[in-house]
Amino acid sequence: MTLQLTPLHPLFAAEVSGLDLRQTPGPDLCDAIHRAMDRYAVLVFRGQRLDDDQQMAFGEALGPLEQTRGVVDVHKQRLKHQQMADISNIDLDGKLLGADDRRRMFNLGNQLWHSDSSFKATPAKYSMLHARMVPPEGGETEFADMRAAWDALPAKMQAKIRDMVTEHSLIFSRGQLGFTDYTEQERRDFAPVPQRLVRWHPGSQRHSIYLSSHIGRIVGWPVPEAMALIRQLLEHATQRAFVYAHHWRQWDLVVWDNRSTMHRARPYEDHTYPRDMRRVTLMDVAPTLEQQMAA
Ligand code: OGA
Ligand code: MN
């Protein structure tokens, strides 16, 4: 089976047309989607009027889901499916989250470049974000191709970072915005996890830099030196040539590969407009340190 693909960027990202994902894809279509994901890393499906059950079924067809949402104040969740993350600014009663709501503070962290769930021992494979309600302006999502970023590094830098191990935590990324308010339970849940800094992406047979604002340390390095290097790599990896900016329309479903891309949310007037986005996330196969490093 071949997909109708229209590239959206010179390096990666493509639009898939001619599909209605309310029908759960069968094995042939799933294979075709996986192959296109390997090549493009970000796929855009426009005009998909999915409800929560259909979005869940699409995710489950593609692979095992992450079981936890890993956010603050989980008891205040609006969505019925445990495995569906609420990427919105809307409260249980349908009103916009208050200016100082902890969940709003926490969601602001999505505006930092990151890879989903890199703070979990086994991180995320694909994320599938569906737009139910979008603001009239702002609120784009940007993606950066971490394989292109790796390829463009000087050989000397590649050799320097190839075997580095980083530590990731939500506390590190939120700390960059000055968010330090956690319960003891959250501190335990968000304890740092180790990840490789350079990964091998088997589907495309390419390396990628596994960067994320969740990084707070490089194992064996003094913290300031480590973070200066991470910052330098983040700047390199997010130069405009490597970035696709997605301008959302209602009913877009965007699927991205967290092993080979980073992303960030762009700001919008969240005190004025609702933005209702829902995410289903596939789990990677193992912690990155246990994954194969080359062909
Ligand atoms: C996410 C995320 C960005 C956005 O859903 O993982 O980072 O633009 N979203 O909402
Ligand atoms: Mn994210």
Side-chain angles (χ1 to χ4, degrees), residues 87 109-110 112 114-117 127 129 141 174 214 256 258 263-265 279:
I87 315 292
N110 281 344
L112 305 177
H114 65 282
S115 178
D116 286 335
S117 301
S127 294
L129 189 61
T141 307
R174 272 54 189 170
H214 303 311
W256 64 86
N258 288 293
H263 61 280
R264 66 170 175 180
R279 195 185 86 202

Side-chain angles (χ1 to χ4, degrees), residues 37-102:
M37 283 297 292
D38 284 339
R39 163 67 186 85
Y40 289 99
V42 178
L43 293 180
V44 174
F45 303 81
R46 302 260 192 202
Q48 303 295 329
R49 292 173 168 263
L50 306 176
D51 61 22
D52 288 359
D53 292 344
Q54 291 161 335
Q55 188 181 347
M56 287 289 293
F58 175 71
E60 276 162 349
L62 289 176
L65 302 186
E66 277 196 337
Q67 291 307 307
T68 55
R69 306 189 253 215
V71 292
V72 293
D73 297 344
V74 274
H75 56 285
K76 294 186 187 160
Q77 286 299 317
R78 186 169 71 99
L79 308 182
K80 66 174 178 183
H81 291 286
Q82 276 306 312
Q83 300 99 330
M84 189 172 260
D86 187 1
I87 315 292
S88 79
N89 58 338
I90 303 166
D91 210 339
L92 287 168
D93 57 8
K95 295 206 185 77
L96 301 183
L97 292 177
D100 58 355
D101 191 292
R102 226 168 147 252

Side-chain angles (χ1 to χ4, degrees), residues 274-294:
R275 181 178 188 262
D276 186 348
M277 316 282 280
R278 302 178 188 199
R279 195 185 86 202
V280 172
T281 314
L282 297 192
M283 202 178 157
D284 204 348
V285 290
T288 54
L289 286 166
E290 293 168 22
Q291 293 182 26
Q292 198 191 348
M293 256 315 272

Side-chain angles (χ1 to χ4, degrees), residues 176-189:
Q176 294 177 43
L177 300 179
F179 184 98
T180 51
D181 154 35
Y182 297 99
T183 62
E184 279 310 309
Q185 183 61 45
E186 285 168 346
R187 276 183 198 286
R188 282 192 293 275
D189 291 347

Side-chain angles (χ1 to χ4, degrees), residues 121-136:
T122 295
K125 184 182 179 188
Y126 302 163
S127 294
M128 303 169 218
L129 189 61
H130 190 230
R132 307 290 174 92
M133 230 190 297
V134 298

